[in-house]
């Protein structure tokens, strides 16, 4: 075995040398070199390099009394560090550490870990390796997670039990959720002020949308049966409303699961005014938000609005689309569409509204047209095949009763939206089906949506661009529910459910901050991909004789790109107890 040094350039042009323990092995008729251990940075290992090189270069006979032997040099452990390093950097840059320190200042005990450090553990776990609080224990075993003093946080296990995580240790993390939730109002308010200063947020337009999250079992008191966006109508649920400004999530609300979308708007408007001091905004919402009562509410409060209209549930929408006979205005192509060989176009034109001051925009999207046409053709194909089979059964006399034939036809048309495209009749014992009289109306809808506003200065193109930003809220929900794994929720207390969702929302905020950093640095990488690449950065503890040294690996080239984008020049964990924190240290999450 021998030592090899490799150079790697970090952020800010700083270059480090890293030491590897390498051995030569024979595979068949070829010899190869294999890395036995990454020992860490050369400057950290410098006091021991001469001894190591003497031992490895001259062989065992070179060892003298008092000198190190090769068996005395080994890597004790290697823990994943990169994702936690990135999360910690973003957490501090967004001001969350100082905000939570301020919330806790009056009640802080000197013998326990700061609330900010404990909350960061929960948020980083949700961002990097989403699990329940039970799964948190396994993540702490594999990743290097420490407080700001460098004390490593490790789980407490029970050796013989069905649930191996120590419940006392687990309860400490539950109490951290309770503490975090107690300060939610203040945290979101101060975080908004911080984001406004850092990124010059201009909250003229506020984007709002809702999603649902379901429970296994009964759930907390706030859980009710309602319209499920998760396809789980038999599960109780809560509604989660997210408020975003300029692509940044500034607040969220948790509502009873049986509320309708439009019933949540007044609460959101009150919060924007009382907590964030926003006097007048343009409220941008999806089709479920627009009702006569909400439009009246917005008018009475002298607020603007920009909402989509329900295409299929409003007969007047037919008339608006029929009026779209004038010239179309082409909207600028988005970044994603620009990457395509033939970028799909988005066209818009304004038509007359039904009330004074109400403006209506008809939007035609080629991308949406292609998607909806494909979906319609697939639905028609499935329905047509099923109706053909039914006609064949009737023709062969296998189904004769008119009521049974009607029931079978109704079941087929209920699937795949078949009732939109086909109708049928039974004449002289023969079953026939044909295109529905509304079929042309359905085709006219494809690729189109309708926007309503009363903003006099908003151009048609600006209205389309603003409405398209609602997709950012929808993407945020996908991150909350899929990437960050918000569902299903197993907590049984309403406050714990709210805290669980709050942690997921903070994790989404870090994800959005990471994406903005990567975009600003022209690093073509999504946040999930970046977190995966950061996993190549490890903290390694090396035992050299009786001394233990800690080093940090460089990570792969993509990880180094990400560190540069985050302006991270020092990859090392905070200086602290190199042996890590003992499993049962009472400070973690203790009350």
């Amino acid at each position: 075995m021998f030592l090899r040094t490799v150079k790697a350039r970090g952020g800010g042009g700083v270059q480090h040398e890293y030491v590897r323990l390498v051995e030569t092995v024979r595979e068949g008729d070829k010899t190869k070199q294999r890395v036995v251990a990454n020992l860490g940075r050369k400057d950290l290992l410098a006091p021991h390099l001469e001894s190591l090189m003497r031992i490895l270069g001259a062989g065992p006979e070179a060892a003298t009394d008092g000198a190190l032997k090769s068996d005395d040099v080994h890597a004790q452990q290697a823990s994943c560090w990169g994702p936690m390093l990135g999360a910690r950097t973003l957490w501090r840059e967004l001001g969350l550490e100082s905000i939570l320190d301020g919330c806790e200042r009056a009640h802080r005990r000197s013998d326990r870990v700061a609330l900010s450090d404990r909350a960061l553990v929960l948020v980083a776990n949700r961002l990097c390796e989403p699990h329940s609080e039970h799964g948190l224990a396994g993540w702490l075993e594999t990743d290097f997670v420490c407080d700001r003093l460098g004390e490593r946080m490790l789980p407490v296990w029970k050796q013989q039990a069905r649930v191996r995580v120590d419940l006392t240790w687990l309860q400490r993390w539950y109490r951290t959720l309770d503490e975090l939730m107690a300060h939610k109002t203040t945290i979101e308010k101060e975080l908004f002020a911080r984001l406004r200063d850092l990124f010059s947020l201009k909250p003229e337009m506020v984007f709002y949308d809702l999603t649902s999250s379901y429970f296994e079992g009964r759930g907390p008191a706030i859980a009710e049966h309602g319209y499920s966006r998760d396809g789980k109508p038999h599960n109780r649920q809560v509604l989660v409303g997210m408020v975003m400004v300029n692509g940044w999530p500034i607040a969220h609300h948790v509502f009873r699961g049986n509320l309708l979308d439009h019933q949540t708007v007044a609460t959101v408007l009150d919060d924007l005014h009382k907590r964030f001091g926003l006097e007048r905004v343009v409220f941008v919402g999806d089709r479920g938000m627009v009702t006569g009562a909400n439009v009246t509410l917005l008018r009475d409060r002298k607020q603007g609005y920009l909402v989509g209209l329900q295409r299929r549930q409003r007969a007047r929408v037919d008339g608006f689309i029929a009026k779209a006979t004038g010239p179309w205005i082409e909207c600028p192509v988005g970044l994603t569409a620009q990457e395509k060989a033939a970028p799909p176009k988005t066209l818009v034109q304004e038509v007359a509204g039904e009330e004074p001051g109400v403006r209506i925009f008809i939007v035609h999207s080629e991308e949406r047209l292609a998607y909806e046409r494909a979906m319609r053709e697939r639905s028609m194909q499935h329905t047509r095949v099923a109706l053909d089979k039914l006609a064949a059964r009737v023709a062969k006399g296998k189904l004769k009763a008119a009521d049974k034939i009607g029931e079978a036809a109704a079941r087929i048309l209920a699937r795949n939206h078949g009732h939109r495209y086909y109708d049928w009749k039974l004449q002289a014992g023969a079953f026939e089906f044909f295109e529905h009289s509304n079929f042309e109306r359905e085709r006219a809808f494809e690729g189109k949506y309708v926007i309503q506003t009363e903003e006099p200065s908003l151009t048609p193109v600006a209205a389309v661009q603003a409405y398209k930003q609602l997709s950012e809220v929808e993407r945020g929900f996908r991150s909350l529910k899929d990437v960050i794994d918000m569902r299903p929720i197993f907590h049984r207390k309403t406050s714990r459910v709210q805290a669980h969702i709050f942690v997921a929302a903070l994790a989404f905020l870090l994800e959005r901050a990471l994406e903005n950093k990567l975009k600003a640095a022209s690093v073509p990488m999504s946040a999930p991909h970046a977190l995966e690449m950061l996993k190549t950065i490890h903290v390694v503890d090396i035992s050299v004789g009786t001394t233990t040294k800690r080093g940090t690996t460089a990570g792969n080239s993509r990880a180094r790109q990400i560190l540069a984008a985050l302006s991270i020049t020092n990859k090392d964990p905070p200086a602290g107890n190199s042996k890590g924190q003992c499993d049962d240290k009472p400070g973690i999450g203790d009350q």
Side-chain angles (χ1 to χ4, degrees), residues 279-301:
E279 296 297 332
R280 187 185 189 279
V281 297
V282 177
F283 184 89
V284 185
D286 211 344
R287 295 180 293 273
M289 305 296 172
V290 59
T291 63
N294 277 338
V295 170
T296 301
L297 174 69
L298 289 162
R299 287 171 178 165
D300 290 346
R301 298 191 181 188

Side-chain angles (χ1 to χ4, degrees), residues 53 72 97 131 168 220 270 275 358 465 472 475 517 546:
M53 293 173 68
D72 293 331
E97 182 174 278
H131 291 296
T168 301
D270 287 340
R275 191 151 57 109
V358 175
Q465 290 176 324
E472 288 295 300
R475 191 167 70 89
K517 287 283 189 179
T546 59

